[in-house]
Amino acid sequence: MIKRLKIGLKTPVIEYARFGVTPGEAKKIATPEQVTLYCKRPYDYKNLPSLKAGDSVKTGQKVALFDNNNDDVIVASATGTVASVEPFVSDFGKSYIAVKIDTADSDDIENLFEIEDQVEETDPVEEGETEKEQDEEIQEEKAQPPALGDVLSILKYVPGALECDTLSNPGKPIKTIVVSGADTDLIVKSQKFAVQSQGNNLKKGLRILKDISGAEKVILALPNDLVQGFGSVGVEVKGINNQFPSALPALIMKDILDTPLPEEKSCEDMGITFLNAEAVAALGSAYNTNIMPVEKTVTVIMKDGRDVLVSARIGTPVKEIFRELDITLNDGDRIIFGGPMMGTAFYSVEQPIQQNTDAIMVQDNENVQLVSDTPCINCGECIGVCPAKIPVNMLVRFLEAGQYQDAADLYDLYSCVECGLCSFVCVSRIPIFQYIKLAKYELARINEAEATNDD
Amino acid sequence: MTTDRKKFIVSHAPYWHNGSSISERSYNIMFAAIPAILMGLIQYGGPAMSVLSLSISTAMLWELLMNKIMKHPFSIGDGNSAVIGLLFGMMVPASLPWWVVITGTFVAVVIGKVIFGGIGANAFHPVLVSISVLTISWGNHFDFDSALVHYNFDFVTIYPLVALKYFGVSAISDYSVADLLMGKQIGGIGSTFGIGLIIGGIYLIIRRIIRWEISVSFLAGIILTAAIFNISNPEQYANPIFHLLTGYTLIGAFFLATEDSSSPVNTVAMIIYGLGGGILTVVIRNIGTYVDGVVFAILLMNLINPLLDKIRPKAIGKVA
Ligand code: SF4
Ligand code: SF4
């Protein structure tokens, strides 16, 4: 919890963590005995996966869950044998297929592409040539740009990948790709770390995107303090200010791209899509090394507020990370995937790190803030902080009454960028953000039901 | 692993809070009122103390009683009813009979707040509802001149606004600005000490407990309107400073007009609301039949607050 004396006429500003000059190494978490990987598709008892317990997999291998289906795959983050393939229900009832893999002692790494001569054959390093120049030379020699399909299928599974498939949706062509190196939540540093520690991979990934994605524009959006050094890549570099929540896509669209997102539209409807710097760096690394990256950088926020960067294989249960960092948990503590403002609380230490798990936060039960059932007192604090200029005081009255449609029609429910600031400042401690998410979820369900009825 | 069996708390983001709370706000308001109240206690002594204690305690008791009757969780801990009692006590003369105080806090808490739906739902400032009802019912107890007739002061003991209304501008030359600022005027227990109220107001503004836009525009409304009247006919209408430092102006600007639930939250709306309150106050004082216009002016602005608050910035992404 942040508690500061509030003094001054203007609404206090909350700032993102500034990154030190030396990023330091991320602590490496040992390969756990078991990793759990999710395939984002509901488990269907009528159509059981063909992947079974006992099948063996290699690190970096793309494993199809069904025969003759290249869409539903997982990328094994460790070598070993499949222990189970079972259904898993995530928050808001999203249903996935969970694949558990018992890891073997040694890593057997599967190359991304069939080894062709030119990748393996190492040029003798010519005198006076830097590694980078040589790198570029190899690329020129190959003279064959990576195939779009390959790139997309890599981008989908690398660490930092977002839960979407936006680049390959023919219905919504993408004109602008924004690669963001700014972490959206407070304290979290994982994207910034990728920018700082994987600069060359990031540049490589950006070049690939620029060359083959077909997008007119690739923009690299970085926190203001990190913009230096990316001029040579040939993509537009933009700075994001340090005030929370400027790094959210909706606000990048408004402040940097000058295209405020119309309500009920997605970025993709506008021909714009967002990628994480970490994912693009991983793409670069995949092409540089011909190995699929499987380690995710995670910012661990401890009970006392300190934070540590760790690097763990995707699928590592959080308990392994807690063990290595000597974090003890008690009844009533909170485990949060993500940061303090927008993360998701989980009930189990078995929960695995996923591609998009930028942070894990543990909170001591003493610091767990409970919400209250006091009504809104109309203090106006939420109005002052809301980056979307929503009349939250009115909105919350409708949400509490369950009048979601009116909330959307009259009080701008869909303009909300989901930053959580309103709940953070609410004097009555109303779980406003939760109400908002619930309302959007309920409305989506109602609309879906209506759509199916119409058919 | 033993940790597997631990029960963790699962709830929705965000997991941090800035620590503000309703009780924090209430205590800050009470704290900010201390200078003005101290001056009242010095001037009026024991009776002022009894009125204040009685009004604060009964306001809280009414709330407790209503909680019980309506089977709601106890809410007096949030300090809101204590603030209501305190403000009521600050606005009334030290000589107010005990039964008027109890009736007053009843009207404020039960009719002004609970019936509207409790904290946050009151359309009007509960204390103003109460004061207006009481002035209409028992005006004589609110006539500061007759109520405080037994006190001997070393300053003019005519309620300044009464002097203005009935004896004209010539009569107000007896009041010096310094006296008015130092509370050397008769009036409500905690309503007369200009400097104290201003200090309290500034404290509330910088602690972000009240919305400064409302206070500033309310005072601006008073000054502007009083100046226009004054310029048009200096013989008949008092100067802006006089209006600023007498009656309920300052307590109104910092403690009454700014009540959360009955005032707007959007910038433009707050400015119209404040200006409107200030303008109406002076208009009532100068043209109406009441000596002070603050109570009715703010109540009127409370009334149109829901309309005003529709004037708001466009949310991002809104096309229409
Ligand atoms: S979460 Fe709250 S503060 Fe943030 S955009 Fe939505 S309504 Fe505004
Ligand atoms: S911060 Fe909470 S109590 Fe204050 S106006 Fe907003 S919703 Fe109401």
Side-chain angles (χ1 to χ4, degrees):
Chain A
M1 185 183 79
I2 288 183
K3 194 161 182 172
R4 264 190 233 123
L5 199 60
K6 294 170 295 164
I7 287 186
L9 296 184
K10 287 190 64 190
T11 307
V13 160
I14 302 172
E15 295 208 327
Y16 284 113
R18 284 184 196 274
F19 209 71
V21 216
T22 42
E25 279 293 296
K27 185 180 163 69
K28 212 171 153 80
I29 304 290
T31 309
E33 278 167 24
Q34 194 176 59
V35 292
T36 307
L37 302 166
Y38 294 132
C39 171
K40 307 273 150 78
R41 157 199 174 117
Y43 193 90
D44 180 357
Y45 288 91
K46 292 193 206 98
N47 180 14
L48 293 175
S50 50
L51 183 72
K52 282 181 304 297
D55 294 353
S56 57
V57 295
K58 293 205 276 182
T59 306
Q61 184 191 350
K62 259 188 159 185
V63 186
L65 267 64
F66 301 90
D67 294 333
N68 338 317
N69 172 345
N70 280 328
D71 288 335
D72 300 306
V73 297
I74 52 157
V75 170
S77 60
T79 308
T81 38
V82 174
S84 67
V85 179
E86 53 195 32
F88 172 78
V89 178
S90 173
D91 54 337
F92 279 119
K94 275 179 256 155
S95 150
Y96 302 151
I97 302 176
V99 179
K100 296 197 162 135
I101 299 167
D102 287 331
T103 58
D105 290 339
S106 63
D107 246 344
D108 190 359
I109 295 171
E110 167 139 318
N111 282 316
L112 252 182
F113 304 110
E114 296 295 302
I115 310 240
E116 287 162 35
D117 305 336
Q118 70 256 68
V119 179
E120 271 302 272
E121 139 199 327
T122 35
D123 261 6
V125 182
E126 281 163 40
E127 292 256 349
E129 199 179 35
T130 66
E131 217 178 298
K132 198 168 141 215
E133 278 164 5
Q134 193 202 7
D135 223 33
E136 274 158 15
E137 206 175 289
I138 295 181
Q139 208 183 7
E140 275 159 32
E141 267 178 32
K142 271 204 268 180
Q144 206 182 26
L148 179 61
D150 288 343
V151 170
L152 293 181
S153 74
I154 293 171
L155 257 188
K156 208 166 147 186
Y157 303 103
V158 288
L162 300 171
E163 264 180 56
C164 51
D165 222 347
T166 52
L167 277 174
S168 50
N169 183 346
K172 290 176 185 169
I174 296 298
K175 291 203 222 61
T176 307
I177 299 177
V178 181
V179 177
S180 170
D183 295 278
T184 49
D185 211 328
L186 296 174
I187 301 194
V188 184
K189 297 172 175 169
S190 303
Q191 296 306 320
K192 283 189 211 140
F193 181 75
V195 175
Q196 290 206 312
S197 63
Q198 296 213 57
N200 283 337
N201 284 337
L202 177 58
K203 288 178 190 165
K204 169 98 177 185
L206 285 167
R207 281 197 206 98
I208 296 175
L209 276 183
K210 215 174 97 197
D211 292 343
I212 57 104
S213 64
E216 288 162 18
K217 242 204 275 186
V218 177
I219 295 176
L220 177 63
L222 294 175
N224 273 335
D225 39 348
L226 293 186
V227 284
Q228 307 258 300
F230 286 88
S232 61
V233 199
V235 300
E236 241 178 280
V237 183
K238 301 269 189 181
I240 299 175
N241 76 40
N242 211 29
Q243 177 181 346
F244 180 84
S246 315
L248 282 176
L251 294 180
I252 293 181
M253 298 219 10
K254 170 168 140 304
D255 298 336
I256 295 181
L257 305 183
D258 254 334
T259 346
L261 192 59
E263 51 170 2
E264 291 193 64
K265 282 257 163 48
S266 67
C267 305
E268 285 70 34
D269 294 335
M270 310 293 294
I272 298 172
T273 197
F274 283 78
L275 296 175
N276 277 331
E278 192 186 14
V280 177
L283 174 71
S285 158
Y287 275 93
N288 276 338
T289 58
N290 197 20
I291 295 171
M292 186 78 179
V294 292
E295 300 222 337
K296 172 81 185 102
T297 308
V298 181
T299 311
V300 182
I301 306 167
M302 323 256 234
K303 287 183 181 180
D304 57 7
R306 280 181 307 131
D307 57 271
V308 188
L309 280 169
V310 301
S311 156
R313 286 182 196 243
I314 292 170
T316 306
V318 286
K319 67 178 181 197
E320 302 288 338
I321 296 176
F322 296 156
R323 202 178 53 204
E324 294 215 24
L325 294 180
D326 280 332
I327 296 175
T328 42
L329 290 162
N330 302 309
D331 272 344
D333 290 354
R334 206 151 44 181
I335 305 174
I336 297 143
F337 272 59
M341 299 300 281
M342 300 178 290
T344 308
F346 272 95
Y347 47 82
S348 158
V349 290
E350 301 292 335
Q351 188 66 26
I353 301 297
Q354 299 177 47
Q355 280 101 329
N356 59 1
T357 309
D358 278 348
I360 296 169
M361 173 168 163
V362 280
Q363 203 173 28
D364 196 77
N365 52 21
E366 274 178 27
N367 294 329
V368 169
Q369 296 272 326
L370 293 180
V371 296
S372 82
D373 55 0
T374 324
C376 165
I377 61 162
N378 208 47
C379 67
E381 287 291 302
C382 48
I383 307 273
V385 294
C386 177
K389 299 211 190 84
I390 294 173
V392 186
N393 62 327
M394 294 308 293
L395 177 67
V396 76
R397 287 173 164 75
F398 284 80
L399 298 182
E400 282 187 315
Q403 297 169 357
Y404 301 138
Q405 196 57 52
D406 286 344
D409 296 343
L410 303 171
Y411 292 105
D412 311 329
L413 174 66
Y414 284 111
S415 293
C416 172
V417 301
E418 309 192 351
C419 66
L421 271 176
C422 48
S423 296
F424 175 77
V425 299
C426 181
V427 171
S428 292
R429 308 201 175 186
I430 304 171
I432 311 172
F433 187 22
Q434 181 174 12
Y435 279 132
I436 289 175
K437 286 289 266 273
L438 181 67
K440 285 185 175 176
Y441 171 74
E442 287 293 329
L443 283 178
R445 250 188 26 169
I446 293 169
N447 291 342
E448 219 169 88
E450 276 171 6
T452 22
N453 281 352
D454 288 348
D455 289 345
Chain B
M1 277 193 60
T2 48
T3 43
D4 294 1
R5 309 205 188 287
K6 299 258 162 70
K7 285 202 183 65
F8 301 113
I9 293 193
V10 179
S11 58
H12 199 277
Y15 306 97
W16 276 352
H17 191 270
N18 67 0
S20 61
S21 66
I22 303 178
S23 49
E24 182 209 28
R25 283 172 91 83
S26 303
Y27 298 140
N28 270 301
I29 294 175
M30 291 191 255
F31 180 71
I34 289 176
I37 290 173
L38 277 183
M39 187 58 93
L41 293 180
I42 291 168
Q43 277 175 355
Y44 302 107
M49 188 52 137
S50 350
V51 167
L52 275 171
S53 321
L54 188 65
S55 71
I56 296 175
S57 53
T58 52
M60 295 174 74
L61 284 174
W62 287 124
E63 170 129 346
L64 192 66
L65 192 71
M66 291 312 286
N67 285 161
K68 279 233 174 220
I69 293 174
M70 295 168 64
K71 298 203 172 62
H72 283 173
F74 294 142
S75 55
I76 53 169
D78 66 21
N80 183 256
S81 50
V83 168
I84 292 178
L86 185 85
L87 289 176
F88 179 84
M90 286 169 74
M91 291 180 70
V92 299
S95 57
L96 200 66
W98 62 269
W99 52 272
V100 183
V101 176
I102 297 181
T103 319
T105 52
F106 172 83
V107 176
V109 172
V110 179
I111 298 180
K113 176 177 152 188
V114 176
I115 287 186
F116 276 101
I119 187 166
N122 51 296
F124 302 98
H125 195 308
V127 175
L128 295 180
V129 171
S130 169
I131 298 279
S132 62
V133 168
L134 297 193
T135 352
I136 292 167
S137 325
W138 297 299
N140 55 326
H141 289 297
F142 281 83
D143 176 342
F144 291 101
D145 294 308
S146 58
L148 300 172
V149 77
H150 301 298
Y151 283 90
N152 283 315
F153 290 119
D154 57 353
F155 51 79
V156 194
T157 52
I158 302 177
Y159 192 51
L161 290 172
V162 169
L164 171 66
K165 185 134 234 147
Y166 299 107
F167 307 107
V169 171
S170 55
I172 67 166
S173 54
D174 296 346
Y175 301 90
S176 79
V177 170
D179 278 0
L180 293 177
L181 273 172
M182 285 312 295
K184 298 197 169 185
Q185 53 171 320
I186 61 167
I189 296 169
S191 318
T192 55
F193 180 27
I195 292 186
L197 288 167
I198 292 170
I199 291 174
I202 291 174
Y203 172 80
L204 290 177
I205 285 174
I206 61 172
R207 289 301 311 277
R208 296 178 50 77
I209 307 287
I210 60 173
R211 303 191 274 279
W212 64 271
E213 293 92 335
I214 295 179
S215 303
V216 170
S217 55
F218 182 81
L219 295 175
I222 299 245
I223 294 175
L224 280 177
T225 324
I228 293 170
F229 273 105
N230 185 240
I231 290 165
S232 71
N233 187 350
E235 316 275 275
Q236 199 187 345
Y237 300 115
N239 61 58
I241 301 296
F242 181 81
H243 279 290
L244 206 58
L245 301 178
T246 53
Y248 291 136
T249 305
L250 289 173
I251 194 176
F254 297 117
F255 291 87
L256 302 173
T258 52
E259 199 264 339
D260 282 324
S261 151
S262 52
S263 63
V265 291
N266 295 300
T267 314
V268 178
M270 286 194 279
I271 289 169
I272 301 178
Y273 170 91
L275 279 178
I279 294 170
L280 280 172
T281 299
V282 177
V283 169
I284 297 175
R285 283 181 183 177
N286 283 346
I287 317 186
T289 51
Y290 290 95
V291 287
D292 196 355
V294 171
V295 173
F296 292 106
I298 297 179
L299 281 173
L300 264 173
M301 295 315 286
N302 287 168
L303 183 69
I304 60 165
N305 162 41
L307 280 179
L308 282 181
D309 229 5
K310 288 211 177 350
I311 309 171
R312 57 183 172 89
K314 209 165 24 160
I316 62 168
K318 276 275 170 186
V319 248

